[in-house]
Amino acid sequence: MLVVSADLKFPEGAFERWLALPIDSSKWDDWWDGPVMNGESDGEYATVGDLLAAFDRLAGEDAETFLDLSRGDHVTITAGLDPDVGLDQFHQDLATSLRLAQEVGAHGTALFLPLGLPMAVSIEVTTKGSKLRQIDSEEAVSTEARAKAVFDIS
């Protein structure tokens, strides 16, 4: 399972503009080589709004893949992506969407935590851009313990 937690603050009215942005991971050249966070998307979702709507449609079908979203000027996202249903389909476009928030003046942070692996990925979003950071070992294990408690995962 990949657990995602994000907290973004948008200027007034910017949330709706964010939803309309096209998902385009090619805007950044700091994606990683490898199977995840590599900047590659199958292009299934044209906009941020399309991606979030796909999570809504999936909500009733699979309890392991979900996304809870608060809407407005202060957006919080809590998501769980099941490796069998949703991980490959959503993770890159979700990471790209969060990075795109800077284009409408938002700022905040997101954490992508693959449970069972001694690492995590942090995305810092500022009004000037965004940056990926890999979190290793102790910090990731501590974060995983907190995530398991929040999501009631044993």
Side-chain angles (χ1 to χ4, degrees):
M1 159 111 22
L2 177 67
V3 174
V4 180
S5 177
D7 188 304
L8 298 171
K9 292 180 178 64
F10 287 81
E12 187 174 335
F15 177 78
E16 294 301 324
R17 292 194 323 270
W18 177 58
L19 294 177
L21 289 176
I23 296 175
D24 179 7
S25 62
S26 69
K27 294 179 181 227
W28 297 275
D29 61 4
D30 63 345
W31 298 110
W32 295 316
D33 292 331
V36 297
M37 297 285 182
N38 58 17
E40 295 177 9
S41 168
D42 62 11
E44 186 172 346
Y45 310 106
T47 67
V48 173
D50 291 342
L51 174 69
L52 298 179
F55 272 106
D56 287 342
R57 288 190 299 275
L58 190 62
E61 298 174 23
D62 180 69
E64 296 296 320
T65 293
F66 65 90
L67 182 135
D68 292 326
L69 168 77
S70 69
R71 296 174 179 264
D73 295 341
H74 184 184
V75 172
T76 57
I77 293 175
T78 304
L81 305 180
D82 185 301
D84 297 325
V85 179
L87 179 60
D88 290 337
Q89 180 182 1
F90 292 119
H91 89 277
Q92 182 64 60
D93 287 344
L94 183 56
T96 300
S97 294
L98 293 168
R99 295 185 87 174
L100 284 167
Q102 62 90 29
E103 290 191 12
V104 296
H107 64 278
T109 58
L111 181 71
F112 286 67
L113 177 69
L115 298 183
L117 296 179
M119 60 84 65
V121 176
S122 170
I123 300 175
E124 180 182 352
V125 178
T126 70
T127 57
K128 297 180 180 180
S130 66
K131 180 187 280 188
L132 294 178
R133 179 173 75 95
Q134 184 169 334
I135 300 171
D136 292 315
S137 302
E138 283 185 35
E139 188 178 354
V141 170
S142 172
T143 303
E144 179 175 355
R146 289 193 308 271
K148 285 182 175 181
V150 168
F151 288 100
D152 193 27
I153 300 169
S154 50

